[in-house]
Amino acid sequence: MTFRKNYDIAVCGGGIAGVSAAVAAARRGCRTVLIEKTLQPGGLATNGLVLVYLPLCDGRGNQLLFGLPEELMRLANKYGPCRLDENWREKNERMQVNFSPASCVLALDEVLEDAGVDVWLDTVITGVKMENRRLKAVEVFNKSGFGAIEAKCFVDSTGDADVAFLAGNACRNSANAMVLWALEHRGEPGKDDIPQDEYAAGAIPVAGSISAAMRADPLKKLFSDEPLSGQLVTRFALEGRRRYRRDLARLGAKKTSRFPVALPGQVPLRRTRAIAGRMTVTDEDEGKSLPKAITRLGDWRGRGRVWEIPYPALLPDNVEGLLAAGRCISALGSAWEAVRVIPVAAKTGEVSGIAAALSVRRNLTPGALPFPLLAKELQAITPPEALPRACKEI
Ligand SMILES: Cc1cc2nc3c(=O)[nH]c(=O)nc-3n(C[C@H](O)[C@H](O)[C@H](O)COP(=O)(O)OP(=O)(O)OC[C@H]3O[C@@H](n4cnc5c(N)ncnc54)[C@H](O)[C@@H]3O)c2cc1C
């Protein structure tokens, strides 16, 4: 090891969940590090070029997600170009907004800096150090060489449950459909488009020459249901680009007005590897009040569909000193689809940061944290009508 550092809380992976976790923990006075293998925070939301911040509401006019999910939603457009339509209720729309991934990176840098988070970019987590079942340190590699980061509590926000996996916790994998993902210049919007039935597009309305349009290929064919591996990631990325090349070649002379501007720097796999937790959100839980629930959330796929996430879904079932946040929490099937999106990743990130801070303050592991302590903190940042029953009944 060429270096060794020590923190109260180490947040592993700087996607939306990791940023949220690190900010929540640092704002509560903890010495917090955020370890991110790329150069930019935001994960799929920025490096993955996802540009739709899905809804904070239930589709029936009720906002369910407050705190950092809303703060980050508004910050995502601090440097342009979109704006949340504050009349979403009156217009019977959902509380969601598009954003430019690059603007979002700038805003996330700023919120991390303001909160006092120690950010380590270009630093990849390569291993773990355990004492029995307790996580004591993560091993990392960056331009300084190999090092160890010790902490009293860790958050796994790698999106793929890398830390829990390396620590030997059981993990689950999911099947994925092929997606081609790119930001394109479209000189004359509409005119040069490949037929819309083939490509679902989320567009950022940008004035000027780059009318950045997200291009997804909903081939909906299952690409693979094999467990996450280095080979799968490579094959998925190369196959997506191969199909994109094929389709761009069909444009012929139009390529002067329509061409790719940016390609994702993170593989666009939606559901990869998640922890097996002390509780798991499953399809049967839709619409139910769950014990130890930390949040309610509206389903982006349909109005009026509401879910809750119980705190133990953030706790790996066999590792102490570690919380999961974001798309790698313990969820299955349709429930996983509902909880893996940006606003919910921001919420589970925020809750994991709060729980980590409370645990560190009391010298407890997150698994031993009394739920009423967490519920009290959540009461302070959530209006009563949006709180899950479990947080009210303490
Ligand atoms: C094609 C596609 C389209 C989507 N569309 C939408 C949409 O329109 N709206 C929406 O709200 N959601 C959408 N989603 C889902 C959403 O973008 C993600 O699920 C969400 O952003 C996940 O956030 P996260 O922080 O949990 O994980 P991630 O964004 O995956 O972040 C994980 C971070 O950890 C880092 N990391 C990973 N491993 C290591 C390691 N070993 N060491 C150090 N760092 C590491 C990564 O670099 C990354 O920055 C989409 C997802 C995909 C794939």
Side-chain angles (χ1 to χ4, degrees):
M1 294 285 162
T2 47
F3 59 91
R4 180 180 296 272
K5 296 272 180 184
N6 192 285
Y7 290 89
D8 291 331
I9 294 167
V11 179
C12 307
I16 290 294
V19 170
S20 228
V23 167
R27 284 182 181 167
R28 283 164 179 78
C30 295
R31 288 179 305 114
T32 305
V33 63
L34 179 66
I35 308 160
E36 166 54 42
K37 72 176 173 183
T38 70
L39 277 183
Q40 303 187 142
L44 279 169
T46 58
N47 285 318
L49 303 180
V50 167
L51 50 73
V52 186
Y53 204 118
L54 281 171
L56 305 185
C57 69
D58 64 357
R60 302 258 190 262
N62 308 301
Q63 182 179 348
L64 296 184
L65 292 169
F66 291 83
L68 277 165
E70 182 176 356
E71 188 178 337
L72 296 189
M73 173 186 262
R74 292 178 186 282
L75 278 177
N77 276 306
K78 181 169 179 186
Y79 297 101
C82 304
R83 202 158 40 88
L84 173 69
D85 186 345
E86 302 293 347
N87 297 321
W88 57 273
R89 270 194 197 89
E90 292 71 29
K91 293 182 174 168
N92 196 24
E93 286 171 1
R94 297 200 70 174
M95 189 185 179
Q96 70 177 56
V97 71
N98 289 3
F99 61 93
S100 148
S103 298
C104 185
V105 168
L106 299 175
L108 295 180
D109 278 347
E110 199 172 352
V111 74
L112 287 163
E113 195 175 311
D114 291 348
V117 176
D118 204 355
V119 179
W120 290 35
L121 299 177
D122 199 28
T123 302
V124 64
I125 293 156
T126 56
V128 293
K129 277 198 162 55
M130 307 288 293
E131 235 174 62
N132 301 317
R133 287 170 49 210
R134 174 99 191 243
L135 180 61
K136 301 299 277 186
V138 288
E139 295 166 343
V140 298
F141 179 78
N142 62 21
K143 296 297 177 197
S144 306
F146 286 98
I149 298 183
E150 297 164 348
K152 294 173 188 149
C153 188
F154 294 81
V155 175
D156 185 344
S157 44
T158 58
D160 307 319
D162 282 12
V163 179
F165 171 73
L166 291 168
N169 199 78
C171 291
R172 301 191 187 96
N173 290 273
S174 178
N176 275 278
M178 171 50 67
V179 210
L180 325 182
W181 213 244
L183 287 183
E184 286 183 347
H185 175 276
R186 292 186 182 180
E188 292 177 75
K191 197 166 167 238
D192 300 330
D193 286 359
I194 290 173
Q196 278 301 312
D197 56 346
E198 223 174 311
Y199 295 96
I204 318 177
V206 184
S209 63
I210 295 185
S211 59
M214 178 71 87
R215 178 163 177 284
D217 177 1
L219 289 176
K220 296 293 177 216
K221 280 193 209 108
L222 199 63
F223 182 76
S224 174
D225 57 1
E226 68 199 63
L228 184 65
S229 68
Q231 292 91 331
L232 174 61
V233 169
T234 305
R235 214 154 19 89
F236 195 93
L238 288 178
E239 179 59 21
R241 297 208 288 265
R242 189 173 298 123
R243 291 184 194 195
Y244 189 29
R245 284 200 308 271
R246 182 199 62 198
D247 293 340
L248 286 171
R250 285 166 39 199
L251 286 171
K254 288 180 178 170
K255 71 182 176 202
T256 52
S257 61
R258 175 171 169 191
F259 50 85
V261 173
L263 296 168
Q266 182 174 335
V267 71
L269 284 162
R270 290 181 163 90
R271 296 189 296 176
T272 55
R273 184 168 58 204
I275 62 158
R278 296 181 198 181
M279 266 178 85
T280 298
V281 201
T282 67
D283 295 1
E284 289 72 52
D285 295 330
E286 186 176 347
K288 290 189 186 155
S289 292
L290 300 181
K292 297 191 177 180
I294 45 151
T295 191
R296 297 174 72 218
L297 59 112
D299 193 318
W300 59 279
R301 296 165 299 177
R303 291 170 184 260
R305 298 178 66 182
V306 173
W307 299 80
E308 290 190 357
I309 299 175
Y311 178 57
L314 275 51
L315 298 170
D317 63 1
N318 207 26
V319 176
E320 297 293 343
L322 179 65
L323 288 143
R327 65 190 170 93
C328 60
I329 66 166
S330 195
L332 282 172
S334 180
W336 197 351
E337 274 297 319
V339 305
R340 70 170 174 82
V341 291
I342 294 171
V344 190
K347 190 69 210 178
T348 53
E350 180 177 40
V351 173
S352 67
I354 295 173
L358 289 171
S359 307
V360 164
R361 214 176 288 151
R362 285 164 184 77
N363 207 15
L364 295 169
T365 59
L369 183 70
F371 182 71
L373 289 178
L374 180 58
K376 233 173 145 201
E377 290 263 337
L378 298 175
Q379 283 177 354
I381 56 169
T382 320
E385 64 277 12
L387 270 177
R389 195 196 295 160
C391 283
K392 291 183 195 164
E393 292 174 348
I394 52 158

